[in-house]
Amino acid sequence: MKLLSPSATSTTHISSSFFLPNGFQNHGSSSATTFKFSKNQGRCVGNDEGTQITAKFELKPPPYPLNALEPIMSQNTFEYHWGKHHRAYVDNLNKQIEGTDLDGKSLEETIIMSYNNGDILPAFNNAAQVWNHDFFWESMKPGGGGKPSGELLKLIERDFGSFEKFVEQFKLAASTQFGSGWAWLAYKENRLDVGNAVNPLATEEDKKLVVLKSPNAVNPLVWNHHHPLLTIDVWEVY
Amino acid sequence: MAVRTLLSKKTLTTVLRNDPKPIGAAITQSRGLHVFTLPDLAYDYGALEPVISGEIMQIHHQKHHQTYITNYNKALEQLHDSVAKADSLTTVKLQNAIKFNGGGHINHSIFWKNLAPVREGGGEPPKEALGWAIDTNFGSLEALIQKVNAEGAALQGSGWVWLALDKELKRLVVETTANQDPLVTKGTSLVPLLGIDVWEHAYYLQYKNVRPDYLKNIWKVINWKYASEVYENAF
């Protein structure tokens, strides 16, 4: 059995001593004998049978305890949202890609491939929702809030006028997404507001911050030249 | 305008339902614009327990459905103005809000009639014309229920699952629509017999993330009498 070293991303729950007789323990997981790591691409390799290597996505825990965002977001909410919904997306994605040509790809690759330029394939919903929720937990932190600083604040003031105006615009997008969806702050590499139009001579001035909203599982990764910075889950806000 | 606000919602609905030339309509008729109001349920909020909790029914009816109606009325007023001013940009921009909020009003109005307490026939299987049509099109009622539940559970995001009559092809079909799209967006000859709301707000407080359990249970309060009426009067 090949031992892989744990990645740099650690959570507050994994103690300094990883090594236990039966393998790595992943908090919150019932399967103690399966090797589980957080690699940047969200892959993990290895299982308890020892004879077969299967590549599967794993449910990454939020980078803080489930009660860390109280009273704004309760532990109970996290137990459902992360523990059941997010987990179901991961489990269902693994089931869906097994044995297909998506098996073995990174999460981002899976998303782009199954988005299929808009002609969405079945795995997209689960893959994108896994990614979206990972990103969402990272978009929040205990003791967070306040204002950004430095370069980001400068760009926000440049592209929205002020931080307050950005928040207003973001709240408007978030509260007007019909049905299920997400609201995003993203960095767009192209000032043109026309679909996938590319400016071949893009300069620094062509890039800007934008507020976007997307339906269901869609995220900015599938729109060329968009880099998500922050998201909130607005399923059934409106 | 002032007279309208003096009437309570309850009074207004009673008046609009019972009176052939009600005050409410007279006010709106002077503007030429009908104002939609929240239809009453034919049963108490708690009457569908334990299948659907009273808490859900109340919030679903008084908050969600009411909000669709409020926003539908707002959008229609804006539409009315934009048409009068020949402001095509606004007219077209409003289409999404009208489809969403108007659709929400249409769909929920059907949904309340699709449900009935057990003591009033909720859950009693369909007979006669609709019963035979179900057997012909799906093999059995159980097969239909399985199909509806499978499609409802698989629906991604928010939407509805329908048992519909295709008037043109003269057959029954199971369809799904996204968000609040009314059934006609899937086919102009489709008549909704039964719609099941699979938005999370329809079941989450009680069933949490287990939508399949909600779908399994809801058949105990489905009002097949209403669906039969619609079916028999469709042709």
Side-chain angles (χ1 to χ4, degrees), chain B residues 2-230:
Chain B
V3 179
R4 194 205 298 177
T5 55
L6 284 174
L7 294 168
S8 74
K9 179 198 79 142
K10 188 114 210 258
T11 321
L12 199 53
T13 31
T14 321
V15 159
L16 282 168
R17 264 190 320 155
N18 299 334
D19 204 323
K21 196 124 204 264
I23 309 166
I27 290 175
T28 59
Q29 270 161 24
S30 66
R31 275 206 74 195
L33 205 60
H34 179 90
V35 172
F36 292 93
T37 55
L38 186 65
D40 280 342
L41 303 187
Y43 38 83
D44 289 334
Y45 289 131
L48 303 182
E49 302 240 2
V51 175
I52 304 180
S53 71
E55 189 190 20
I56 288 183
M57 289 306 291
Q58 180 164 5
I59 296 176
H60 202 173
H61 182 242
Q62 285 182 357
K63 305 270 183 229
H64 290 273
H65 189 176
Q66 178 63 67
T67 302
Y68 289 125
I69 289 172
T70 305
N71 291 335
Y72 182 39
N73 286 330
K74 241 191 289 187
L76 287 175
E77 234 185 276
Q78 291 172 331
L79 179 69
H80 182 87
D81 290 341
S82 71
V83 168
K85 292 197 216 122
D87 177 0
S88 296
L89 183 59
T90 306
T91 300
V92 173
K93 253 182 12 178
L94 286 166
Q95 299 311 307
N96 271 336
I98 289 175
K99 181 164 87 156
F100 183 67
N101 292 297
H105 174 48
I106 291 170
N107 294 339
H108 285 87
S109 300
I110 296 172
F111 188 48
W112 308 135
K113 295 195 251 194
N114 284 153
L115 304 170
V118 171
R119 59 175 161 73
E120 283 170 36
E124 262 173 43
K127 308 180 186 54
E128 297 173 348
L130 180 56
W132 302 328
I134 288 175
D135 288 344
T136 309
N137 284 269
F138 301 101
S140 66
L141 179 61
E142 288 68 40
L144 166 66
I145 289 177
Q146 250 189 19
K147 187 166 178 52
V148 171
N149 289 354
E151 305 241 359
L155 193 150
Q156 290 167 6
S158 315
W160 292 74
V161 57
W162 304 92
L163 169 64
L165 165 66
D166 187 329
K167 271 173 69 168
E168 231 178 81
L169 300 178
K170 300 227 181 5
R171 59 169 191 189
L172 299 179
V173 290
V174 171
E175 264 297 350
T176 58
T177 53
N179 296 336
Q180 292 299 350
D181 293 356
L183 183 61
V184 289
T185 57
K186 279 291 180 92
T188 47
S189 58
L190 294 176
V191 175
L193 302 176
L194 263 191
I196 299 180
D197 190 346
V198 293
W199 279 59
E200 283 182 346
H201 68 230
Y203 61 88
Y204 206 91
L205 288 175
Q206 187 178 352
Y207 292 93
K208 306 289 193 300
N209 59 312
V210 195
R211 194 194 281 174
D213 279 358
Y214 160 70
L215 288 168
K216 217 172 42 170
N217 281 316
I218 199 170
W219 297 99
K220 300 179 191 159
V221 290
I222 287 288
N223 183 7
W224 283 109
K225 279 191 268 192
Y226 172 73
S228 290
E229 260 171 52
V230 176

Side-chain angles (χ1 to χ4, degrees), chain A residues 5 24 66 68 71 132 144 147 171 212 238:
Chain A
S5 54
F24 297 75
L66 297 188
N132 293 339
K147 276 168 86 141
K171 283 193 200 171
L212 302 163
Y238 179 38

